[in-house]
Amino acid sequence: MREWAAKSSARLNAGVEAVIALLMVLLVLDVWLGVVDRYLFHWQLPWPEIIARYLMIWAAMLAVSSGIARRDHIGLTAAIMRVPVPLRRTVLVAIDLCILALFFYVFWYGLGFAESGAKRQAMIFGISLQPFYAAIPTAAGLAAIQTVLAMIRDSGTHLDVPPFQEASA
């Protein structure tokens, strides 16, 4: 079960990181177009800044699940390392369960938030804001899945052996 969770987490993370890379490429191109427009061609395009904002939001929100998969998120490592090893595993699993509850909460209320975007329109594009608002529940759902997979994979031992550890040369 732990091997399956590790492989599933790594595959899901690879897909998410590919999407993040694509979003970042689009973000750089969009910002570059905005700069060229403003200082060279003077087209006065109204949309590059807005597109950049939403690309950045999607990329940042999706990166949360990647941080969870790699256990690169903020932790209370100094305090937890003072806990005896047998109790440390229990504490780490309890923290994972709290994190999972938080992401379920954000996912649940994020669905309503994304739905509220269906009634709003982007002034420049005249399209629904729902696809942009959907970043919140999508990211929370992915983060919850990665939390479950990381919890199964690590079973409270991730401070002892970091996940995706690079082979030392």
Side-chain angles (χ1 to χ4, degrees):
M1 184 73 160
R2 290 177 78 174
E3 287 180 29
W4 172 84
K7 287 179 184 176
S8 298
S9 177
R11 274 190 239 120
L12 179 60
N13 190 46
V16 168
E17 286 181 348
V19 171
I20 294 168
L22 175 64
L23 290 172
M24 292 305 295
V25 166
L26 293 173
L27 177 62
V28 168
L29 292 174
D30 178 67
V31 170
W32 180 247
L33 177 65
V35 169
V36 169
D37 166 39
R38 180 172 289 165
Y39 296 109
L40 189 61
F41 294 117
H42 308 289
W43 294 324
Q44 297 182 349
L45 296 173
W47 50 266
E49 188 176 328
I50 286 93
I51 291 291
R53 179 183 314 141
Y54 291 121
L55 288 170
M56 184 179 63
I57 289 169
W58 265 98
M61 294 302 297
L62 290 176
V64 171
S65 72
S66 181
I68 290 169
R70 295 177 179 275
R71 295 284 189 181
D72 285 340
H73 54 77
I74 296 172
L76 304 172
T77 309
I80 293 171
M81 291 304 281
R82 292 179 178 234
V83 175
V85 175
L87 185 58
R88 186 183 311 158
R89 293 183 73 182
T90 305
V91 169
L92 289 171
V93 170
I95 289 171
D96 281 344
L97 290 172
C98 290
I99 291 169
L100 182 61
L102 171 70
F103 286 127
F104 276 137
Y105 177 84
V106 172
F107 174 76
W108 181 256
Y109 285 100
L111 290 174
F113 177 71
E115 191 60 36
S116 74
K119 301 173 189 139
R120 298 179 183 175
Q121 288 190 339
M123 293 172 63
I124 290 178
F125 304 120
I127 61 171
S128 167
L129 289 174
Q130 189 173 26
F132 305 115
Y133 285 19
I136 302 298
T138 302
L142 283 170
I145 291 167
Q146 280 292 14
T147 300
V148 169
L149 292 173
M151 191 168 37
I152 294 168
R153 176 193 68 206
D154 301 338
S155 301
T157 62
H158 56 277
L159 292 181
D160 303 330
V161 180
F164 304 130
Q165 187 173 4
E166 301 286 329
S168 52

